[in-house]
């Protein structure tokens, strides 16, 4: 299997029927697409994350052979920017008639809730204008439509609601992926992943990949490293729980259930180690494990989630160097600020900037740039450090160096 390929991409629905669940929403959307005399020329697909809204639009475009003119609302925040991209798209209709391959064009504004920040008052108005002026059908997708600002938009759209994907359907999909990957899963393992996903198919598939990739057998035991989604253990309790754990698996389970941000947690953990281990040798061993955890945190980066279990493991090792010596102590909390600013913020901002650049050039959101484009650019860069694409994307030499080393440390 090609490295770096996310299963959510590899198993992305090709046809409408591959999008599981939400039958009513799918039928409504398909009927709207097929209807030449549709009453509303815009449709808003809305509902929770990771249930197949974007996937449905793409699958429908494959199946019905129409071309998607995509514009990502969240990265094109101002009225001016929206008009710049959206306006030309509204005049594409004339072109269809001459195209034998495409059955027509659709303007797709994904993640429209992204335009409702503080500064983008004009954004929603511009979108409504696009809907009004568009000569081609407009499809929009959003997570949350309760926001007040969306109301005017709702009036000009047909609304199609998506719900969480039901657990049995998620299990069924995970089972199919396992079969394709040559993995034999225990039913209970798939059930746990599905339940843990809370109906978010994207998370379920990502979780499956993180714990099952490359394995022949997937057991319930493997799922203990899953990050619980309805997380409720904070930083303090995670530290306390891990430091007082009696074994590596016990400590790993606590980390696993925790809601901590991993970068913050690493720093806090490090700050508190000297308090946990009065013995110098224990402390040295613990720091050694911690450094390994840190290496894996770096490698996990934003996509190699399959490595997360090593990160958990080494931290759990660091927490349980000498379980019997645990005595309650006062934690240093929160992590030392200067280190934090120095370390994590810089790293994240850099990647965010690169993804924003790519997003602007490719008309996709930063998130999409991160998940769909960056991995491929990294593969290309490994072969050749500069290419017409890197200059077209306006990547600076330092961006390129960053992308090349991003997952290493
Ligand atoms: N109902 C589904 N059936 C099959 N695969 C799914 C389904 N929902 C999500 N997926 C998988 O998860 C990936 C991401 O889903 P998608 O981007 O469609 O979610 P979304 O509803 O648009 O989420 P968001 O609100 O975050 O944009 C898809 O590429 C696909 O692999
Ligand atoms: Mg989406």
């Amino acid at each position: 299997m090609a490295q770096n390929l996310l299963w959510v991409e590899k198993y992305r629905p090709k046809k409408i029927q591959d999008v599981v669940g939400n039958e009513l929403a799918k039928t409504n959307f398909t009927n709207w697409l097929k209807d030449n005399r549709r009453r509303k020329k815009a449709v808003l697909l809305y509902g929770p994350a990771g249930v197949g809204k974007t996937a449905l639009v793409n699958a429908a475009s494959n199946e019905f052979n129409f071309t998607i003119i995509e514009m990502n609302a969240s990265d094109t925040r101002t009225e001016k920017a929206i008009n710049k991209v959206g306006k030309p798209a509204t005049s594409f209709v004339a072109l269809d008639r001459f195209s034998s391959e495409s059955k027509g064009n659709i303007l797709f504004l994904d993640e429209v809730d992204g335009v409702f920040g503080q500064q983008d008052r004009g954004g929603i108005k511009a979108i409504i204008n696009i809907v009004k002026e568009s000569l081609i059908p407009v499809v929009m997708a959003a997570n949350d439509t309760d926001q007040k600002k969306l109301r005017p938009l709702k009036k000009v759209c047909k609304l199609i609601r998506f719900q969480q994907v039901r657990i049995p359907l998620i299990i069924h999909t995970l089972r199919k992926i396992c079969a394709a990957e040559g993995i034999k899963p225990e039913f209970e393992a798939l059930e746990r992943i599905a339940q843990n996903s809370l109906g978010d198919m994207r998370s379920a598939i990502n979780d499956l990949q993180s714990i099952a990739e490359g394995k022949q057998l997937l057991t319930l035991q493997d799922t203990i490293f899953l990050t619980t989604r309805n997380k409720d253990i904070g930083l303090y309790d995670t530290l306390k729980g891990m430091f007082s754990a009696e074994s590596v698996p016990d400590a790993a389970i606590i980390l696993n259930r925790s809601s901590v941000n991993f970068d913050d947690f690493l720093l806090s953990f490090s700050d508190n180690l000297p308090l946990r281990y009065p013995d110098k040798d224990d402390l040295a061993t613990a720091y050694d494990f911690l450094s390994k955890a840190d290496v894996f945190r770096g490698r996990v980066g934003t996509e190699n989630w399959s490595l997360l279990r090593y990160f958990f493991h080494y931290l759990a090792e660091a927490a349980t160097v000498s379980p019997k010596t645990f005595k309650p102590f006062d934690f240093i909390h929160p992590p030392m600020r200067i280190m934090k600013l120095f370390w994590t913020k810089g790293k994240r901002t850099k990647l965010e900037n690169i993804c924003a650049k790519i997003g602007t050039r490719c008309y996709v959101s930063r998130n999409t740039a991160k998940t769909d484009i960056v991995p491929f650019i990294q593969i290309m860069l490994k072969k050749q450090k500069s290419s017409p694409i890197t200059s077209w994307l306006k990547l600076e030499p330092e961006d390129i160096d960053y992308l090349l080393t991003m997952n290493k440390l």
Side-chain angles (χ1 to χ4, degrees), residues 53-55 110-111 141 202:
K53 299 182 296 295
T54 306
D110 203 357
E111 301 171 19
R202 180 199 285 127

Side-chain angles (χ1 to χ4, degrees), residues 8 11-13 18-20 48-55 143 165 201-202 205:
V8 282
Y11 300 103
R12 180 201 284 254
D18 300 337
V19 180
V20 305
V51 298
K53 299 182 296 295
T54 306
N143 282 137
V165 183
M201 181 74 93
R202 180 199 285 127
I205 298 175

Side-chain angles (χ1 to χ4, degrees), residues 330-376:
D330 286 332
F331 291 94
I332 302 175
H333 173 68
M336 283 185 252
R337 243 186 108 63
I338 294 187
M339 262 289 279
K340 182 172 144 64
L341 287 176
F342 170 72
W343 187 53
T344 55
K345 188 77 186 294
K347 267 202 216 168
R348 275 200 224 106
T349 320
K350 185 93 198 113
L351 182 62
E352 287 300 313
N353 286 342
I354 296 175
C355 291
K357 271 190 200 173
I358 298 174
T360 313
R361 287 301 262 168
C362 304
Y363 296 117
V364 297
S365 69
R366 270 175 232 181
N367 254 343
T368 308
K370 206 181 281 174
T371 55
D372 294 16
I373 300 181
V374 164
F376 293 104

Side-chain angles (χ1 to χ4, degrees), residues 14-26:
K14 309 273 181 306
K15 293 250 163 73
I16 294 175
Q17 70 175 39
D18 300 337
V19 180
V20 305
N22 281 299
E23 296 304 328
L24 185 62
K26 279 190 310 194

Side-chain angles (χ1 to χ4, degrees), residues 69-71 86 89-90 105-109 130 134 136-139:
I69 299 160
E70 193 171 355
M71 180 187 141
T90 55
N105 294 310
I106 292 271
L107 180 61
F108 183 26
L109 311 180
I130 290 174
S134 178
I136 59 178
V138 183
V139 177

